[in-house]
């Protein structure tokens, strides 16, 4: 029989870990001295200790090791662990790629984040703008029209409002745009206001500060970022206006979030 210290040395497992494995029912001492509380292990238990250590080095959790010891198919658990590690590997590679992309930039003007947008109800309206700046006057009128049509309708919390440009190319004038705002319920429609379910989406997000005539820089940056980091664009870009003409006197303080749906 081996004292716990001797067993620790032979198994290359700390005494603290052995006590933890005992508590979890993975490696219980062969005997315990009732008077002193000393724990003794059989030499045959070194094989069990080696299995635990091996499984831990593979990244298996205590619960997963317990499942194996209690008869669950070890290949099934290892296959699931392999898939989990593959996903982690892909995420790590994307993180490294993103870091390299940022390091290549001379100036970190934009910081990219990945967001999960849940499914929601939105009301939408489409129009043709003479200039991009006209959106700032058109959007409030859309909200007023929807409210007149649906008194008491409530916006979702947190609020989510954005525009999509529908032309498929840059245009200086006669710009087709769709405005969307998340609400809690469907409402009445007319020729301008329509309700729909907006599916859940993953988006890359950056914030652009300043006038809208320079927002093309933000689009160029986020599209290049997506391409270099292995993302596939999965829909129209979204512009969400945080600050603008309605609450900021200086154009330099206007803040717009650009979201690019990806998969």
């Amino acid at each position: 029989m081996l004292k716990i210290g001797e067993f620790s040395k032979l198994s290359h497992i700390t005494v603290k870990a052995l006590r933890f494995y005992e508590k979890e029912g993975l490696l219980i001492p062969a005997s315990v001295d009732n008077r002193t509380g000393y724990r003794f292990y059989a030499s045959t238990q070194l094989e069990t200790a080696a299995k635990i250590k091996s499984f831990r080095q593979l990244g298996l959790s205590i619960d997963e090791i317990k499942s194996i010891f209690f008869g669950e198919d070890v290949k099934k658990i290892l296959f699931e662990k392999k898939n989990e590690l593959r996903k982690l590997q892909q995420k790590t590679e994307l993180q490294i790629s993103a870091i390299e992309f940022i390091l290549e930039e001379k100036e970190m003007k934009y910081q990219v984040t990945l967001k999960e947008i849940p499914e929601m109800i939105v009301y939408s309206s489409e129009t043709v703008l003479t200039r991009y700046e006209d959106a700032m006057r058109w959007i409030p009128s859309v909200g007023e029209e929807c409210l007149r049509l649906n008194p008491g309708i409530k916006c979702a919390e947190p609020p989510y409002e954005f525009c999509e440009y529908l032309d498929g190319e840059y245009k200086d004038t006669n710009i087709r745009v769709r405005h969307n705002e998340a609400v809690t319920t469907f409402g009445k429609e007319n020729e301008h206001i329509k309700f729909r379910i907006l599916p859940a989406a993953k988006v890359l997000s950056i914030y652009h500060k300043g006038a809208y005539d320079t927002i093309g820089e933000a689009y160029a940056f986020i599209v290049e970022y997506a391409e270099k980091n292995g993302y596939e664009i999965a829909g129209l870009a979204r512009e969400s206006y945080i600050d603008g003409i309605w609450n900021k006197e200086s154009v330099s303080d206007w803040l717009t979030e650009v979201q690019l749906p990806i998969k």
Side-chain angles (χ1 to χ4, degrees):
M1 298 290 282
L2 300 167
K3 292 182 179 179
I4 192 169
E6 296 170 327
F7 191 83
S8 171
K9 289 179 182 178
L10 291 172
S11 64
H12 292 252
I13 297 175
T14 65
V15 170
K16 182 178 179 181
L18 288 173
R19 292 187 183 278
F20 175 69
Y21 294 152
E22 178 187 354
K23 180 181 176 183
E24 293 294 325
L26 280 174
L27 187 55
I28 299 172
S31 66
V32 178
D33 188 304
N34 293 329
R35 185 174 60 83
T36 63
Y38 290 165
R39 284 155 170 76
F40 296 92
Y41 293 83
S43 58
T44 53
Q45 289 182 288
L46 287 169
E47 184 179 356
T48 302
K51 285 182 180 179
I52 295 171
K53 190 175 182 68
S54 175
F55 286 141
R56 291 295 282 165
Q57 288 175 343
L58 294 176
L60 269 61
S61 68
I62 294 298
D63 286 339
E64 287 168 331
I65 297 172
K66 280 183 181 180
S67 296
I68 292 171
F69 281 11
F70 292 137
E72 191 161 337
D73 186 358
V74 63
K75 289 186 177 181
K76 174 178 176 291
I77 291 176
L78 291 177
F79 183 78
E80 290 172 352
K81 179 58 64 174
K82 184 185 77 169
N83 288 338
E84 180 185 319
L85 292 172
R86 287 287 189 201
K87 290 178 182 178
L88 180 61
Q89 181 184 32
Q90 291 171 357
K91 181 179 179 181
T92 302
E93 288 174 351
L94 284 173
Q95 289 172 328
I96 292 171
S97 179
I99 290 170
E100 289 175 345
F101 181 85
I102 293 170
L103 291 174
E104 288 173 2
E105 293 295 309
K106 293 181 181 178
E107 180 184 359
M108 288 180 61
K109 186 173 182 179
Y110 298 110
Q111 185 66 54
V112 182
T113 57
L114 181 63
K115 291 186 175 182
E116 300 271 355
I117 307 296
E119 181 181 274
M120 62 187 69
I121 301 169
V122 299
Y123 73 84
S124 303
S125 185
E126 296 183 18
T127 193
V128 177
L129 302 173
T130 303
R131 303 173 305 162
Y132 284 95
E133 291 81 356
D134 294 340
M136 295 303 99
R137 294 175 177 82
W138 170 68
I139 291 170
S141 70
V142 173
E144 291 167 4
E145 183 175 359
C146 183
L147 192 58
R148 285 195 300 271
L149 192 62
N150 297 279
I153 195 167
K154 294 182 179 180
C155 294
E157 289 293 342
Y160 186 51
E161 182 179 11
F162 63 93
C163 283
E164 300 165 292
Y165 294 94
L166 308 176
D167 292 306
E169 61 178 326
Y170 176 79
K171 296 178 69 176
D172 290 317
T173 189
N174 296 327
I175 306 147
R176 292 176 57 235
V177 61
R178 177 168 61 210
H179 170 264
N180 308 266
E181 183 163 8
V183 289
T184 56
T185 59
F186 282 88
K188 293 181 181 179
E189 299 183 338
N190 63 15
E191 59 180 330
H192 301 128
I193 304 295
K194 305 296 180 183
F195 287 82
R196 64 190 173 105
I197 293 288
L198 185 71
K202 288 183 180 180
V203 302
L204 296 175
S205 166
I206 60 175
Y207 289 92
H208 172 77
K209 195 165 187 179
Y212 299 122
D213 57 7
T214 61
I215 203 168
E217 300 172 6
Y219 279 101
F221 181 92
I222 200 168
V223 169
E224 182 184 7
Y225 180 93
E227 290 175 349
K228 286 191 173 182
N229 289 283
Y231 293 107
E232 182 181 344
I233 297 173
L236 296 171
R238 304 172 180 180
E239 283 185 15
S240 182
Y241 307 108
I242 312 301
D243 293 315
I245 193 172
W246 60 90
N247 67 341
K248 297 292 181 181
E249 293 183 4
S250 173
V251 172
S252 62
D253 291 330
W254 292 3
L255 184 65
T256 306
E257 182 183 8
V258 175
Q259 298 179 347
L260 186 65
I262 51 92
K263 58 182 179 181

